[in-house]
Amino acid sequence: MQALDIMIDHVIHVHEKDTIRTVLDKFIDHGISGLPVVNNSNEIVGYISDGDIMQFIGKHKDIVLDVILLVSVIKGDQDQFEERARNILALNVMELANKKVIKVKWNEEIENVAAVLGEKRIKKLPVERDGKLVGIISRGDVIRNAFKDLLHK
């Protein structure tokens, strides 16, 4: 069995020129937590996850600003909080996306896909063919497909 046999071929993704607003809209609309980022040629140029966004927020917090924001929220004035949130939403996806994307080829054996997911401790792997995004495989996809025949005997 190969990646092609179990991958989801309708891949929700974002373009490298999209903003974090677009990313979060897709996270919410589709109930997902990560997306491949592609260029105009549909080549995978990044991967953005909810963890990347949280890490960005954690690295760029300003203690003084956080205190001001907390006081503003307590007083019912959320303007500063909303301004900071709008600034994050306006960022280009590539400012936060991981550019060293772990991916697999469309004809990769499923055992190798499972090994990559396990060793790298990642949830999803973009699948490419001829350098283009053609699918995505999650840990759940691998588990379901690897054991379904044995479970139904």
Side-chain angles (χ1 to χ4, degrees), residues 37-81:
V37 183
V38 298
N39 63 16
N40 287 336
S41 300
N42 203 40
E43 298 165 326
I44 305 163
V45 294
Y47 193 89
I48 182 84
S49 71
D50 56 358
D52 296 319
I53 296 169
M54 292 302 295
Q55 187 175 18
F56 176 85
I57 292 169
K59 282 183 180 177
H60 294 87
K61 72 178 190 171
D62 179 333
I63 295 171
V64 175
L65 181 58
D66 287 344
V67 171
I68 292 169
L69 293 176
L70 179 59
V71 171
S72 298
V73 171
I74 291 169
K75 290 181 177 178
D77 177 15
Q78 294 189 350
D79 290 344
Q80 290 180 354
F81 174 80

Side-chain angles (χ1 to χ4, degrees), residues 63-118:
I63 295 171
V64 175
L65 181 58
D66 287 344
V67 171
I68 292 169
L69 293 176
L70 179 59
V71 171
S72 298
V73 171
I74 291 169
K75 290 181 177 178
D77 177 15
Q78 294 189 350
D79 290 344
Q80 290 180 354
F81 174 80
E82 289 176 4
E83 180 181 346
R84 185 173 180 201
R86 274 193 291 276
N87 289 340
I88 292 171
L89 291 174
L91 290 172
N92 176 274
V93 65
M94 293 307 289
E95 290 183 59
L96 279 67
N98 186 341
K99 293 158 195 75
K100 294 181 182 177
V101 183
I102 300 168
K103 52 195 170 189
V104 294
K105 301 276 187 216
W106 64 279
N107 59 351
E108 189 71 53
E109 292 297 325
I110 198 65
E111 293 85 2
N112 295 335
V113 172
V116 171
L117 287 164

Side-chain angles (χ1 to χ4, degrees), residues 21-36:
R21 176 182 296 276
T22 302
V23 170
L24 292 176
D25 280 341
K26 290 190 180 198
F27 282 3
I28 293 166
D29 291 347
H30 301 282
I32 57 178
S33 59
L35 299 161

